[in-house]
Amino acid sequence: MYNILLVEDEAGIQFANKAHLERSGGYTVRTAMNLAEARQSITESVPDLIVLDIMLPDGSGLDFLNELRQAGNNLPILLLTALSEADDQVKGLRAGGNDYLTKPYDNSVLIARIESALRTASKIPVSLSVGNVKIDTASKRAYVDDVDMGLNIKEFSLLEQFIQHPEQMLTTSGLYEKVWGQKMIKDNTALKTAISRLRAKLSELDAGYTITFSKGEGYYFEQV
Ligand code: CA
């Protein structure tokens, strides 16, 4: 049984979706009519997946999506939008949405998309390692030879990117977008600071790996 949080302000749609999901037998559904209720709901219990409407009375669902991703929360999110404009769909996916549905949609399509997002999420490995460096994506902790590196969430997310792409060039703007969940602004001091702290911790713990910078290209995670 999966727990779904359904964030939808149109009562009719909310009622129909909840009833359809619960009738299908695999889901329990909590509902929220707006962003305030959604924020409150996840502090009470973390769902397995969020179905998130974008146009809500107290703001945009995309803001809530950004908040969750910036807090390092990777739970699958399926966006609902009445806007068929490609722009909003792209924005939603860039912000870390897993998939989207354009209204009106069929309830059987909603279930198929939910199943697909849950399947994908369960395939994401929880633990990844390169050399002596290991990350646990569930607890957001990183280790060198089982010693906790004590990373903050941004440093952890950066390391997660590097560990997924060892010895490969990662651009400054690409890293920024992945980790901060938004387009890079001119001043990337935050990224530089996080990288230099991460580099110092790798060195301090003799990880055998470091982050090098190649001017005009980007960063590499490579063996010392
Ligand atoms: Ca709406």
Side-chain angles (χ1 to χ4, degrees):
M1 190 72 98
Y2 290 104
N3 295 304
I4 307 283
L5 172 61
L6 173 62
V7 188
E8 168 66 73
D9 60 312
E10 287 165 66
I13 297 180
Q14 188 193 89
F15 181 82
N17 283 348
K18 179 173 160 60
H20 193 81
L21 281 165
E22 289 183 341
R23 256 201 321 271
S24 78
Y27 306 96
T28 54
V29 181
R30 286 160 70 99
T31 55
M33 302 285 284
N34 51 47
L35 293 177
E37 285 183 18
R39 290 185 183 111
Q40 178 61 31
S41 179
I42 64 157
T43 64
E44 286 161 10
S45 105
V46 179
D48 297 301
L49 178 143
I50 301 179
V51 177
L52 179 60
D53 189 23
I54 292 185
M55 304 268 276
L56 292 162
D58 55 350
S60 166
L62 294 178
D63 293 338
F64 185 50
L65 171 60
N66 272 319
E67 285 163 30
L68 291 170
R69 294 305 187 231
Q70 283 183 29
N73 196 324
N74 282 329
L75 64 91
I77 296 179
L78 180 60
L79 297 164
L80 299 181
T81 171
L83 312 164
S84 53
E85 284 105 29
D87 192 35
D88 281 282
Q89 294 159 2
V90 169
K91 254 190 234 162
L93 295 175
R94 281 231 172 102
N98 299 73
D99 200 355
Y100 63 84
L101 271 178
T102 306
K103 292 177 185 175
Y105 52 83
D106 192 274
N107 272 328
S108 60
V109 176
L110 173 66
I111 290 197
R113 295 291 186 90
I114 287 175
E115 283 171 354
S116 160
L118 287 169
R119 245 191 335 265
T120 308
S122 71
K123 274 192 208 131
I124 296 167
V126 167
S127 170
L128 285 173
S129 61
V130 170
N132 302 330
V133 188
K134 186 176 82 185
I135 60 167
D136 180 336
T137 56
S139 67
K140 309 278 171 208
R141 285 177 190 278
Y143 304 87
V144 173
D145 289 327
D146 295 325
V147 178
D148 192 333
M149 292 178 72
L151 303 183
N152 69 29
I153 193 66
K154 297 296 187 213
E155 293 159 2
F156 176 85
S157 301
L158 280 168
L159 183 58
E160 187 177 20
Q161 293 301 316
F162 285 122
I163 271 199
Q164 287 170 350
H165 308 95
E167 318 282 347
Q168 291 172 42
M169 195 273 289
L170 299 177
T171 64
T172 310
S173 57
L175 277 172
Y176 192 88
E177 278 190 41
K178 281 261 164 57
V179 173
W180 273 263
Q182 58 193 49
K183 274 224 171 311
M184 191 169 78
I185 40 174
K186 260 197 181 139
D187 172 26
N188 59 8
T189 313
L191 175 76
K192 284 186 187 159
T193 307
I195 290 208
S196 72
R197 295 223 306 248
L198 188 52
R199 193 184 280 135
K201 281 172 182 168
L202 288 165
S203 154
E204 198 181 300
L205 293 170
D206 274 327
Y209 273 80
T210 190
I211 298 159
T212 56
F213 180 66
S214 171
K215 207 166 175 235
E217 292 187 61
Y219 294 93
Y220 292 81
F221 186 59
E222 50 187 14
Q223 263 182 297
V224 175

